Amino acid sequence: MIKNLRACLAITAILLVLCCAFYPAVVTAAAQAVFPSQANGSLLVQNGVTRGSSLLGQTFGDNAQWPEYFWGRPSAASPDAATSVLYSSGSNYGPLNPALKDEVEARVKALRDTGVTGPIPVDLVTKSASGLDPHLSPAAIQVQIPRVAKARGMQEAELRALIAEHTEAPTLGFMGERRANVLTLNLALDAKRPVAHVAPAPASSTALAAPNAVTP
Amino acid sequence: MSARFWILDVVFFALLVAIAIPFGRFLTRVFAGENRASQRALGWLERGIYRVAGVDPAKEHSWTAYAGLMLLFSLVTQLVTHVLLRYQHKLPFNPTKLDAVPPWLAYNTATSFTTNTNWQSYGGETTMSYLSQAVALTSHNFFSAGVGVCVAVALIRGLARAESPTIGNFWVDLVRVHLYVLLPLCLGYAVFLVSQGVIQTWQGPATWTALDGTQQWILRGPVASQEAIKMLGTNGGGYFNANSAHPFENPTPLSNFVQMLSIWAIPAALCVTLGDMMKSRGHGRAVFGAMAFLGVVGILVLGYFESKGTPLLANAGADLGTLGHPGGNMEGKELRFGIADSALFATVTTGASCGAVNAMHDSFTPLGGLVPMFNMQLGEVVFGGVGAGMYGILVYVILAVFLAGLMVGRTPEYLGKKIDSRDVRFAALYALIPAFSILIFTALGLMTEAGRSGIANAGPDGAPVPHGFSEVLYAFSSGTANNGSAFAGLTAYSPQHPIFYSLTLGLAMFVGRFPLIIAALAIAGNMAKKKRVPVGPGSFPVEGGLFVGLLVGTVVLVGALTFFPALAIGPLVEHVMMHR
């Protein structure tokens, strides 16, 4: 018994050192040496100021107040009260949940209020799994072009060209969806045609519901 | 379903086979101690570990000793994790100054990671310090996977040997799987993940002023090193609450594809190892075939229903077509993965006992959500957990051969070994224990106030709906099957109700792990002792289509008979309601 206990403790200790000290240390050293940008969060830095991460979407508290930007996917992520860090989450609404219906209807209405008449792609009105999805489908970006063009005083063709620059195809043609990165697109908009932010008069009926995370 | 869906799945299976064959052959050599090339590099370390630990690698264990040492190792490592979680506030690498993990949550989490379940009643970014993530939790990502492979290899040895009192040396198997398989693979894999954008840093949270002027704080940490073993070891416990849906855990479609492959890599390779060690490659192929068949059915059902979307979304005004966008049920899915990569991931992660998610299963369509649930209720044998899938399917092989023997009225015999009543008793226990755990704990969850209070999806005025039932059924299926994914709306831990789910899920995870391992090892010991009779024309063939059909039939029949009533109350009736 003593012999087995000794073997157990010794092997546990050695494996702990290998798997939990040596291994993460080597990976961190290699990651920081070879891929420093990715390893630290793919941060977007402009003139020494961090604007966000190219992997993480940014939401607007009330989309209707920000017509000059493309709006990303709705989010169930919210800042944690104690630590302020953003808590990633989906809505976890079941497929028949009445709250899901209310929220999607409200988002559709908010888009219609900005003049969208055609079909509204489902990804633009449903919450992502992480609440941090940085992407939209090309169709979901395109329905927003008239609004953004008007707010920025830009030609729609100009916007289309910019969107094409920020659109990625499926990897090797079959992995993942065709998608545009909303944050890098918005930052490019600001670089190309900056506008002073003037929020339109609040129209409470069109405001989207605040992110309403269901904590697991 | 799009053309992309079909290409993705065909390429996925082709690559899985291409990886499994050489990898399985390598595993055979590792557990026979014949991996000469890697021993030249690391043999000194292996021998050094035995010397320090006082282990004689040539001395093998009986099945009872093997099981005892496995339990001792699991107990000791669970205690280490429990203590680390309780004292994380006094330990370094805690940049967001998190408090100690509360007692019941620490018990639940330590059990969860020790049993390879990685059920998480917490959100990583607001509960776990960097040290807890990298040591308390990542250690079990390795250990529990290693233990699983040990048990699978011991069972295969028991079947392959004749007149042997022993089934291998637990310490040797454990050290070898870490040294030659898990660690080297993870080193390369983790760096690849970083290249895709998975973070690996000890710096604290990053912060910036967002476009709308608000200040955002994003937690960082050593994610890639944990992510690699999380997938390869079919653990599935995410660094962040959103798991592999979080862009810092799974940033690109390529990282997603490799993560899916890595979940099934070892379980699929073990099929090849099985064929090698039992000197019947056809048998290994047949077992692989049965698992793949069940996997393909799951992928098709899940992909079909998710790509169709739901009437609720259509009625609310969303366009579910696919012109310029993925369409379908996108609630709880990431755009970069769309429907196809999410459906494949969900089938892979629940077929294996991984439980990582890249989409929120709670928001799946009713029949889409039924697939992960049923995968778990089948006992995680659709490739299954690392090792656990192999010993699970082998128990079903014994049951299938036994049933075939009954049908033709001959003494059932499996590759020259007669199956006796002791084997069948343990195999029956193996199949029945999880069923009891899932159904009884689900009933308990629904009958108690503490259980019902965790349910997120309720009808108007909090009335019970089938989806709420599914949340509880899913939780205990996931816990018992050591999967760890969730219908995550369920609040399994809250300061108001800290005990109920912590305790019941903790018990379910324990019952779904250790009694089953002991049953599998008991069969291994019993089989190893037996004489081998020559395989003759009267022996039941354990390869080819007939056997695959019989094996699939046995697995599905046991699962369907046990769980059909429960599934009828949950997802099936919800599907009917959806189209009312």
Side-chain angles (χ1 to χ4, degrees):
Chain A
M1 188 61 214
I2 298 293
K3 196 169 154 285
N4 285 335
L5 199 60
R6 175 194 157 194
C8 181
L9 294 177
I11 287 176
T12 303
I14 294 169
L15 290 183
L16 272 175
V17 170
L18 284 176
C19 301
C20 304
F22 169 78
Y23 162 65
V26 170
V27 173
T28 310
Q32 294 289 344
V34 188
F35 304 109
S37 164
Q38 291 97 315
N40 293 314
S42 306
L43 301 180
L44 296 167
V45 182
Q46 288 179 341
N47 309 322
V49 180
T50 306
R51 304 299 309 270
S53 163
S54 65
L55 297 176
L56 305 177
Q58 294 184 5
T59 52
F60 302 97
D62 176 3
N63 280 347
Q65 302 291 305
W66 300 86
E68 70 270 35
Y69 286 114
F70 285 102
W71 305 334
R73 298 191 63 193
S75 164
S78 58
D80 173 55
T83 60
S84 319
V85 299
L86 207 54
Y87 185 83
S88 58
S89 180
S91 71
N92 287 314
Y93 288 143
L96 298 182
N97 195 318
L100 176 62
K101 182 162 179 282
D102 295 346
E103 288 189 13
V104 174
E105 275 173 354
R107 292 179 204 126
V108 168
K109 179 169 185 309
L111 286 161
R112 296 279 180 231
D113 287 348
T114 66
V116 178
T117 51
I120 293 178
V122 64
D123 55 303
L124 189 53
V125 290
T126 47
K127 286 179 177 170
S128 65
S130 64
L132 300 166
D133 193 340
H135 296 116
L136 273 184
S137 64
I141 287 274
Q142 273 150 17
V143 299
Q144 304 185 50
I145 288 178
R147 183 193 77 237
V148 175
K150 184 164 162 251
R152 298 219 175 225
M154 289 172 83
Q155 296 294 318
E156 293 195 6
E158 225 179 328
L159 280 176
R160 278 181 217 286
L162 202 59
I163 291 167
E165 276 174 41
H166 290 265
T167 302
E168 283 176 84
T171 310
L172 302 179
F174 66 92
M175 290 177 204
E177 294 290 335
R178 181 172 291 280
R179 61 202 184 276
N181 187 312
V182 183
L183 177 62
T184 58
L185 176 61
N186 279 333
L187 290 174
L189 274 181
D190 274 349
K192 197 164 180 135
R193 181 69 63 91
V195 287
H197 172 64
V198 184
S204 59
S205 63
T206 62
L208 292 194
N212 182 16
V214 179
T215 17
Chain B
M1 290 180 280
S2 57
R4 194 172 80 68
F5 177 92
W6 298 101
I7 301 170
L8 180 78
D9 294 332
V10 168
V11 174
F12 176 78
F13 272 95
L15 278 176
L16 185 68
V17 172
I19 291 170
I21 293 171
F23 190 21
R25 303 250 187 284
F26 174 69
L27 290 179
T28 310
R29 291 198 295 278
V30 166
F31 289 104
E34 289 164 2
N35 50 328
R36 299 221 169 73
S38 42
Q39 277 185 346
R40 264 198 294 281
L42 290 168
W44 59 275
L45 185 55
E46 187 191 347
R47 288 187 296 275
I49 294 174
Y50 299 148
R51 208 169 305 129
V52 172
V55 169
D56 175 4
K59 189 169 161 287
E60 292 209 339
H61 298 132
S62 67
W63 82 264
T64 45
Y66 202 98
L69 294 173
M70 179 278 302
L71 286 174
L72 179 69
F73 177 72
S74 300
L75 176 72
V76 167
T77 53
Q78 175 160 348
L79 286 176
V80 170
T81 293
H82 195 124
V83 170
L84 285 173
L85 295 181
R86 292 291 293 134
Y87 291 97
Q88 70 170 6
H89 58 304
K90 304 216 160 125
L91 295 166
F93 298 108
N94 183 6
T96 48
K97 309 241 177 331
L98 294 166
D99 208 354
V101 179
W104 280 102
L105 187 57
Y107 153 74
N108 183 274
T109 305
T111 308
S112 170
F113 278 72
T114 308
T115 56
N116 196 255
T117 311
N118 298 30
W119 171 274
Q120 296 170 294
S121 293
Y122 60 89
E125 50 264 73
T126 54
T127 316
M128 295 295 167
S129 74
Y130 288 9
L131 187 82
S132 293
Q133 297 269 22
V135 180
L137 304 183
T138 304
S139 62
H140 281 291
N141 285 0
F142 281 98
F143 300 163
S144 65
V147 165
V149 176
C150 289
V151 174
V153 169
L155 177 54
I156 299 175
R157 272 195 203 113
L159 296 168
R161 288 176 177 183
E163 298 168 77
S164 162
T166 59
I167 55 171
N169 182 312
F170 175 70
W171 300 122
V172 172
D173 290 344
L174 188 72
V175 168
R176 282 185 181 158
V177 71
H178 280 88
L179 222 50
Y180 298 122
V181 184
L182 299 177
L183 269 169
L185 280 176
C186 282
L187 279 170
Y189 184 11
V191 176
F192 160 77
L193 287 175
V194 176
S195 78
Q196 294 300 299
V198 179
I199 57 175
Q200 178 74 21
T201 173
W202 294 93
Q203 295 180 50
T207 185
W208 53 74
T209 308
L211 285 176
D212 68 352
T214 54
Q215 196 69 17
Q216 279 188 344
W217 295 83
I218 295 283
L219 190 78
R220 294 186 287 182
V223 178
S225 54
Q226 187 166 344
E227 193 71 15
I229 186 63
K230 163 192 149 192
M231 311 312 278
L232 196 67
T234 65
N235 292 282
Y239 193 96
F240 298 98
N241 183 49
N243 209 300
S244 277
H246 195 300
F248 278 174
E249 287 199 30
N250 192 3
T252 65
L254 181 63
S255 69
N256 187 63
F257 190 81
V258 175
Q259 289 194 2
M260 294 189 291
L261 271 179
S262 65
I263 295 175
W264 274 2
I266 296 180
L270 280 172
C271 295
V272 178
T273 307
L274 171 74
D276 283 357
M277 286 176 68
M278 299 194 60
K279 304 204 166 33
S280 169
R281 289 194 170 163
H283 181 48
R285 277 197 295 274
V287 169
F288 183 96
M291 290 174 159
F293 174 81
L294 289 167
V296 168
V297 172
I299 292 164
L300 293 180
V301 173
L302 189 46
Y304 173 75
F305 284 104
E306 291 309 304
S307 63
K308 260 178 59 168
T310 69
L312 181 147
L313 291 174
N315 292 338
D319 174 33
L320 304 182
T322 55
L323 199 64
H325 64 101
N329 177 22
M330 283 300 288
E331 179 72 18
K333 292 191 183 63
E334 297 284 292
L335 193 274
R336 62 191 177 285
F337 306 138
I339 301 292
D341 305 63
S342 301
L344 180 56
F345 195 107
T347 313
V348 168
T349 194
T350 54
S353 77
C354 183
V357 294
N358 78 349
M360 293 300 131
H361 294 187
D362 212 349
S363 297
F364 280 5
T365 59
L367 296 188
L370 181 143
V371 170
M373 223 184 297
F374 195 55
N375 272 342
M376 298 186 295
Q377 291 163 348
L378 290 180
E380 298 291 27
V381 291
V382 184
F383 292 99
V386 166
M390 181 46 62
Y391 59 75
I393 197 84
L394 287 176
V395 170
Y396 276 104
V397 167
I398 288 169
L399 284 177
V401 172
F402 173 69
L403 291 177
L406 287 183
M407 284 190 265
V408 295
R410 286 180 57 97
T411 312
E413 138 201 337
Y414 173 25
L415 284 174
K417 290 284 187 71
K418 290 219 163 13
I419 293 175
D420 61 27
S421 70
R422 188 178 158 87
D423 301 317
V424 176
R425 271 208 307 276
F426 279 111
L429 270 180
Y430 191 103
L432 289 177
I433 290 172
F436 270 96
S437 170
I438 294 172
L439 294 175
I440 289 176
F441 280 126
T442 301
L444 208 60
L446 294 163
M447 286 179 339
T448 53
E449 170 56 29
R452 287 193 303 268
S453 69
I455 294 172
N457 281 282
D461 306 323
V465 292
H467 200 80
F469 171 84
S470 295
E471 284 182 354
V472 179
L473 178 64
Y474 195 105
F476 288 108
S477 302
S478 174
T480 305
N482 293 166
N483 183 276
S485 67
F487 270 13
L490 186 80
T491 305
Y493 181 89
S494 66
Q496 294 78 39
H497 293 286
I499 302 179
F500 179 78
Y501 282 109
S502 301
L503 179 63
T504 50
L505 279 168
L507 289 174
M509 293 187 280
F510 180 86
V511 165
R513 174 81 169 176
F514 295 110
L516 302 195
I517 286 185
I518 290 171
L521 288 175
I523 294 173
N526 197 38
M527 284 284 186
K529 278 195 316 221
K530 290 177 195 171
K531 284 202 175 82
R532 183 177 302 287
V533 292
V535 177
S539 307
F540 184 74
V542 286
E543 48 193 83
L546 177 66
F547 172 72
V548 172
L550 191 70
L551 182 56
V552 168
T554 308
V555 170
V556 171
L557 214 63
V558 170
L561 286 178
T562 313
F563 294 105
F564 180 77
L567 292 170
I569 305 175
L572 292 176
V573 82
E574 191 182 20
H575 178 75
V576 174
M577 284 168 67
M578 188 170 84
H579 290 289
R580 195 171 41 181

